[in-house]
Amino acid sequence: MTVRAAVVLLLAFVVGLLAGGLAYLAHRSLPTAVLVAGGAAGSALLLFHTVIGR
């Protein structure tokens, strides 16, 4: 695994974790928090893949 891949995956994980945590605090529903976290992590993965240069 390259350093770039590790950074992109780590940033996507952090974004997903934060978004899921905020969704859980707002709705007190674990399934909702998981869905929000997955969507945010997937979107962040695509964003950071395009933004962080090769």
Side-chain angles (χ1 to χ4, degrees):
M1 179 184 289
T2 64
V3 174
R4 178 184 176 272
V7 168
V8 168
L9 289 173
L10 178 67
L11 287 173
F13 177 75
V14 168
V15 167
L17 190 65
L18 290 174
L22 288 174
Y24 181 76
L25 289 176
H27 298 286
R28 298 288 185 203
S29 171
L30 188 60
T32 301
V34 170
L35 288 173
V36 168
S43 299
L45 185 66
L46 290 175
L47 174 73
F48 293 131
H49 175 68
T50 58
V51 170
I52 296 178
R54 294 176 188 216

